């Protein structure tokens, strides 16, 4: 067995040998076959990039020591012409078609070798490009967009799909996420779903591949015709003329004239229709919506996986359905779940099982506080103003019907909403719930029949991605363990804000507001008072009020004592730090925000009171929750050393809080 090299591009003009593999067969792609996205070697470090600076250094070292390849060098066809007699013919053909039928803009390399643990099986190794993935998206899915993704599967040489395909390794060799070593758990889940949920039989594969082979197509058609007299007639018609159009007509006739099972088999022999009108084909795990099987199971997998990888944030992570209308060209800022209640329920329960999903989907770790905030808004006397967005509860058993929304009787609605939220709160905690005997959905529905519909709406409308800051990186001068980093707000605003920050720089300030206001803030962003109504007054006119002083901002975070039962839980036997969040409801909320450093962006009325006139010039970076009387921090962030420290913290958290 000879040693071969796997190559991947580092820049548009340089190909670099990254590693060596032992295998029988390899496809190495040249610059003529693929034009990768260029990597800017002079790109400056940015606190939002989410990629370690050390990675760029590693690439530069590789380029210096690498052996370059002439771009005009033809690719040698390394396909072994000698047939492997121990391979099933369908497996052999599937392997060969990978080289010619999969896009070289996606497949960087492919090889197979005898499995070390089982000589009757083979290890198939795919190398997939990832440089088309946006940096923000790559960070969310914890994958490096500068290194190929390697997928290794084990197949039996002779029985092939009659036995389960085994996923051996899905990994990258990169420095971007050292805490995860080489693992890419969220991408591995997509691959695992395909191989475990898509069940293709050998007969299905054989008939599908025969559609492009006239002789085999005719042979299998005649075998499937059970009526001997008709089979004889068809043989006389077809064997002499080999007329494929006539065969198509006979196939259509037999499909209409036979039982469902046989009709499905005959349908596999039909040539796939060319749908030129559909320039954006959609693939998901429904067998009917998968890429066609005419070029084999492995090619089908590659095409499906390419579609998923190029649409990571616009497809449901559970079932692969589109979650965005293609007419709507807005950029999706984080992984999404479709409206199907089963997908939502399974996704929520995956938090409590060994079934990883990208954490930015729901920010499940902040679910308790999202409930606390909407609880305060619903119970507020000002609910008509601040309960925005208004709850829309869909019937989970008939999703075409609505249980409750803003168009109903407001007094009846608020009474029902208060009943629902009060019952859910009795759980004590959503994030600490362990679904050992009963699922989260079932538990919430036991509390109230509409409870899970309410929770589905609450989590689905959350536009932020929260990450609990690890204790090592928490701001020690703020005395609370509930410190959250906000990774994403609005993707368009985020991009524009970065451009302005690069030109003008930025400063930091706190924003305090009553608990009941934060439900709206965390969905609509910080806004100047709606309809001219300012929640905390307007001593210096309309605007978003902020302060560089933490303790000054706390004066704006009053909590209504009417719905604050937290005092009854305070005792020496049951310290407040051990009370489940939903039991201790009197929480204060303060955000630490980044503001464009420009005279047009903000006004300093006093050393502690600033106003911002344009909501697009302020971004929320952190949010802190603390109970009454537990925080007296005198932290100020208007000095450059503190601002620099915050910028460094943001840069660090961007690398670990995806």
């Amino acid at each position: 067995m000879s040693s071969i090299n796997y190559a991947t591009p580092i820049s548009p003009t340089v190909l670099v040998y990254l590693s060596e593999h032992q295998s029988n067969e390899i496809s190495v792609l040249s610059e003529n076959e693929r034009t990768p996205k260029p990597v800017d070697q002079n790109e400056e470090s940015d606190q939002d990039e989410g990629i370690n600076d050390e990675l760029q250094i590693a690439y530069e070292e590789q380029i210096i020591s690498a052996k370059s390849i002439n771009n005009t060098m033809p690719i040698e066809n390394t396909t072994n012409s000698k047939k492997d007699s121990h391979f099933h013919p369908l497996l052999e053909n599937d392997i060969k078609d990978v080289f010619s039928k999969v896009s070289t803009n996606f497949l960087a390399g492919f090889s197979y070798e005898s499995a070390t643990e089982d000589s009757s099986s083979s290890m198939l190794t795919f190398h997939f490009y990832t440089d088309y993935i946006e940096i923000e998206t790559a960070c969310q899915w914890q994958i490096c967009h500068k290194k190929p993704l390697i997928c290794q599967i084990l197949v039996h040489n002779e029985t092939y799909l009659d036995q389960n395909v085994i996923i051996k390794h899905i990994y990258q060799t990169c420095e971007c996420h050292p805490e995860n070593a080489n693992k890419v758990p969220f991408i591995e889940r997509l691959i695992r779903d395909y191989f475990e949920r898509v069940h293709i039989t050998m007969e299905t594969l054989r008939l599908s591949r025969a559609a492009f082979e006239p002789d085999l197509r005719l042979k299998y058609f005649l075998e499937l015709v059970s009526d001997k007299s008709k089979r004889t007639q068809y043989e006389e018609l077809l064997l002499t003329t080999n007329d494929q159009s006539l065969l198509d007509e006979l196939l259509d006739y037999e499909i209409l004239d036979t039982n469902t099972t046989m009709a499905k088999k005959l349908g596999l022999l039909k040539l796939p229709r060319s749908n030129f009108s559909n320039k954006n084909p959609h693939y998901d795990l429904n067998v009917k919506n998968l890429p066609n099987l005419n070029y084999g199971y492995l090619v089908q997998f590659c095409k499906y996986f390419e579609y998923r990888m190029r649409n990571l944030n616009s497809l449901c992570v559970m079932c692969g359905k589109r979650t965005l209308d293609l007419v709507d060209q807005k950029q999706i800022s984080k992984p999404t779940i479709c409206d199907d209640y089963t997908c939502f329920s399974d996704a929520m329960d995956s938090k409590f099982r060994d079934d990883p999903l990208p954490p930015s989907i729901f920010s499940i770790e902040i679910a308790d506080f999202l409930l606390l905030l909407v609880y305060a808004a619903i119970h507020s006397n000002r609910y008509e103003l601040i309960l925005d967005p208004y709850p829309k509860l869909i019937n989970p058993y008939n999703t075409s019907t609505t249980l409750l929304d803003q168009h109903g009787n407001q007094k009846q609605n608020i009474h029902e909403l208060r009943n629902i939220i009060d019952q859910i709160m009795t759980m004590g905690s959503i994030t600490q719930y362990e679904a050992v005997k009963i699922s989260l959905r079932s538990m919430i529905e036991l509390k109230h029949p509409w409870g899970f519909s309410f929770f589905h709406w609450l989590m689905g409308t959350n536009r932020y991605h929260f990450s609990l800051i690890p204790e090592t990186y928490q701001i020690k001068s703020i005395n609370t363990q509930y410190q959250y980093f906000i990774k994403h707000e609005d993707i368009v605003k985020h991009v524009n804000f970065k451009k302005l920050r690069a030109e003008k720089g930025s400063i930091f300030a706190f924003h305090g507001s009553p608990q009941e206001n934060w439900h709206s803030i965390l969905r609509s962003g910080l806004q100047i008072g709606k309809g001219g109504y300012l929640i905390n007054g307007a001593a210096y006119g309309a605007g978003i009020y902020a302060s560089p002083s933490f303790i000054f901002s706390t004066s704006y975070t009053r909590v209504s004592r009417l719905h604050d039962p937290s005092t009854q839980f305070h005792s020496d036997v049951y310290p407040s730090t051990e009370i489940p969040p939903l039991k201790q409801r009197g929480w204060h909320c303060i955000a630490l925000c980044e503001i464009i450093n420009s005279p047009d962006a903000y006004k300093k009325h006093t050393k502690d009171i600033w106003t911002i006139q344009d909501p697009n010039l302020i971004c929320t970076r952190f949010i802190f929750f603390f109970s009454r009387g537990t925080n007296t921090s005198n932290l100020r962030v208007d000095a450059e050393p503190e601002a620099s420290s915050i910028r460094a913290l943001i840069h660090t958290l961007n690398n670990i809080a995806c």
Side-chain angles (χ1 to χ4, degrees), residues 164 225 242 260 268 278 291 342 375 427 443 474 575 588 617:
N164 291 333
V225 176
N242 196 20
T260 303
L268 296 173
N278 187 4
T342 301
Y375 169 88
M427 290 182 62
M443 177 57 72
Q474 289 189 355
H588 296 258
L617 302 181

Side-chain angles (χ1 to χ4, degrees), residues 402-630:
T402 301
L403 300 171
L404 182 152
D405 63 17
Q406 60 186 348
H407 302 297
N409 184 294
Q410 295 299 299
K411 289 186 178 180
Q412 291 180 1
N413 281 357
I414 200 65
H415 174 77
E416 193 63 51
L417 288 170
R418 287 172 177 172
N419 185 26
I420 293 171
I421 190 68
D422 288 349
Q423 295 304 313
I424 294 176
M425 299 287 271
T426 63
M427 290 182 62
S429 175
I430 295 294
T431 59
Q432 297 174 19
Y433 178 75
E434 295 183 4
V436 178
K437 296 182 178 180
I438 184 171
S439 70
L440 177 64
R441 174 177 179 173
S442 298
M443 177 57 72
I444 294 177
E445 287 182 336
L446 282 175
K447 296 296 181 180
H448 192 286
W450 294 3
F452 195 76
S453 298
F454 178 87
F455 190 61
H456 177 270
W457 162 81
L458 179 69
M459 300 304 291
T461 56
N462 172 34
R463 67 200 294 266
Y464 283 71
H465 167 206
F466 299 91
S467 292
L468 182 65
I469 302 175
E471 184 178 358
T472 306
Y473 300 106
Q474 289 189 355
I475 301 175
K476 304 304 180 185
S477 54
I478 298 179
N479 184 26
T480 177
Q481 62 179 314
Y482 300 109
Q483 302 186 21
Y484 294 89
F485 174 57
I486 299 176
K487 178 71 171 114
H488 302 283
E489 188 176 0
D490 179 277
I491 193 67
V492 175
K493 176 180 176 180
H494 172 73
V495 171
N496 292 335
F497 190 91
K498 283 175 63 177
K499 292 179 180 178
L500 286 172
R501 183 180 62 202
E503 296 174 5
K504 303 178 182 296
S506 65
I507 56 175
F508 294 91
F510 294 101
H511 178 81
S513 191
Q515 179 181 344
E516 61 193 28
N517 296 338
W518 283 96
H519 166 71
S520 178
I521 292 173
L522 293 183
R523 282 158 172 76
S524 303
L526 291 169
Q527 301 287 336
I528 299 173
K530 298 176 181 178
Y533 182 84
L534 298 177
I535 294 169
N536 285 325
Y540 295 94
I544 299 169
Y545 281 68
S547 173
S549 167
F550 181 91
I551 197 167
F552 185 86
S553 295
T554 60
S555 63
Y556 290 86
T557 64
R558 64 183 182 274
V559 176
S560 173
R561 297 186 61 86
L562 180 63
H563 302 291
D564 178 15
S566 60
T567 53
Q568 63 182 301
F569 294 98
H570 287 246
S571 68
D572 294 335
V573 178
Y574 195 10
S576 62
T577 55
E578 297 180 6
I579 299 174
L582 299 185
K583 295 291 186 181
Q584 184 179 339
R585 302 175 196 174
W587 293 89
H588 296 258
C589 310
I590 284 184
L592 178 55
C593 307
E594 186 174 12
I595 306 165
I596 296 299
N597 190 9
S598 169
D600 299 332
Y602 68 99
K603 293 180 181 179
K604 290 185 178 181
H605 303 284
T606 71
K607 69 172 184 176
D608 288 332
I609 301 177
W610 303 352
T611 59
I612 296 90
Q613 301 302 317
D614 186 348
N616 292 313
L617 302 181
I618 179 171
C619 279
T620 308
R621 298 301 186 197
F622 302 88
I623 188 166
F624 310 98
F625 296 92
F626 54 95
S627 57
R628 185 175 59 252
T630 63

Side-chain angles (χ1 to χ4, degrees), residues 614-656:
D614 186 348
N616 292 313
L617 302 181
I618 179 171
C619 279
T620 308
R621 298 301 186 197
F622 302 88
I623 188 166
F624 310 98
F625 296 92
F626 54 95
S627 57
R628 185 175 59 252
T630 63
N631 215 303
T632 56
S633 173
N634 59 359
L635 175 65
R636 295 185 66 90
V637 293
D638 47 352
E640 183 54 35
E642 285 74 18
S644 296
S645 177
I646 294 169
R647 291 190 190 98
L649 178 59
I650 291 174
H651 180 73
T652 299
L653 294 176
N654 266 307
N655 286 325
I656 65 174

Side-chain angles (χ1 to χ4, degrees), residues 219-235:
K219 174 186 174 184
Y220 296 147
F221 168 68
L222 294 174
E223 289 178 358
L224 291 173
V225 176
S226 57
D227 189 308
K228 293 183 178 180
S229 61
K230 284 203 297 185
R231 187 191 311 154
T232 302
Q233 293 176 7
Y234 292 161
E235 287 178 347

